[in-house]
Amino acid sequence: RKEVEQDPGPFNVPEGATVAFNCTYSNSASQSFFWYRQDCRKEPKLLMSVYSSGNEDGRITAQLNRASQYISLLIRDSKLSDSATYLCVVNGGGSNYKLTFGKGTLLTVNP
Amino acid sequence: DADVTQTPRNRITKTGKRIMLECSQTKGHDRMYWYRQDPGLGLRLIYYSFDVKDINKGEISDGYSVSRQAQAKFSLSLESAIPNQTALYFCATSERLARASGRADTQYFGPGTRLTVL
């Protein structure tokens, strides 16, 4: 299994749709999990840290399943401004500095 | 003003030339990183530094060198650029969290340098 694997995408959805991103990771010792967002030709920016209890911020919900080594991101009522690449990011386990990035999933929200 | 800045933002150079990319940060973070991003490959770590004069290789350090002479600055050099080093280069910073915290450092990225080697 690759260290961090995401849906390859791309996703094209209409405004208002609900879209789910999936990610799996191979290192069972990993302790920290993130979703970053990257707009076209821009730098990645932290969207959300992911906790075991799950977390929600407005229209966005992230879930972690440690047993399955699976992370998800759900965007509800999608907006045009949600169009971006979404990166699943996991730390290397046993170290708190080394982050491994998934290749990203491109989302385009259409009017 | 941006917390993490990179210069130049764009650079076109020829094979064999020496290139230096600069990164500066005003976040006061100890840790700094250099990544490259290629289409279809995601972000890959080149070098990282935990403090001044501390240098560590990442997963793809061959053909690159770095210098950390000050806490706020971390430079990346390509001694003799080759075409397959054409990529988008990002600098990132993070603060040092206690290992006991169990949390990984959140990394903050600069705007990137688009390098083309002809």
Side-chain angles (χ1 to χ4, degrees), chain A residues 3 31-34 36 38 41-46 49 51 87 91 94-104, chain B residues 31 33 35 37 40-43 45 48 50 88 90 97-99 102-112 114:
Chain A
E3 285 194 72
Q31 296 180 18
S32 297
F33 312 90
F34 309 90
Y36 275 71
Q38 185 174 21
R41 304 176 83 85
K42 300 284 190 180
E43 72 272 25
K45 292 184 178 179
L46 179 67
S49 299
Y51 304 112
L87 304 171
N91 88 308
S95 67
N96 60 358
Y97 62 88
K98 184 178 183 296
L99 298 181
T100 300
F101 290 78
K103 295 180 182 180
Chain B
R31 298 181 171 185
Y33 312 80
Y35 292 89
Q37 186 174 39
L41 293 179
L43 281 154
L45 183 63
Y48 60 97
F50 285 174
L88 186 54
F90 288 107
L97 297 177
R99 186 175 292 277
R103 293 186 294 127
D105 309 343
T106 297
Q107 294 185 13
Y108 300 87
F109 286 80
R114 188 166 296 278

Side-chain angles (χ1 to χ4, degrees), chain B residues 10-54:
Chain B
N10 290 281
R11 182 72 183 268
I12 299 174
T13 191
K14 295 181 178 180
T15 297
K17 293 291 187 181
R18 184 178 186 274
I19 297 297
M20 179 178 286
L21 309 183
E22 304 275 7
C23 176
S24 294
Q25 53 116 346
T26 59
K27 299 183 78 68
H29 288 170
D30 291 324
R31 298 181 171 185
M32 298 186 74
Y33 312 80
W34 275 105
Y35 292 89
R36 66 176 280 176
Q37 186 174 39
D38 299 272
L41 293 179
L43 281 154
R44 292 181 292 167
L45 183 63
I46 305 172
Y47 272 97
Y48 60 97
S49 168
F50 285 174
D51 206 342
V52 175
K53 301 295 178 72
D54 174 70

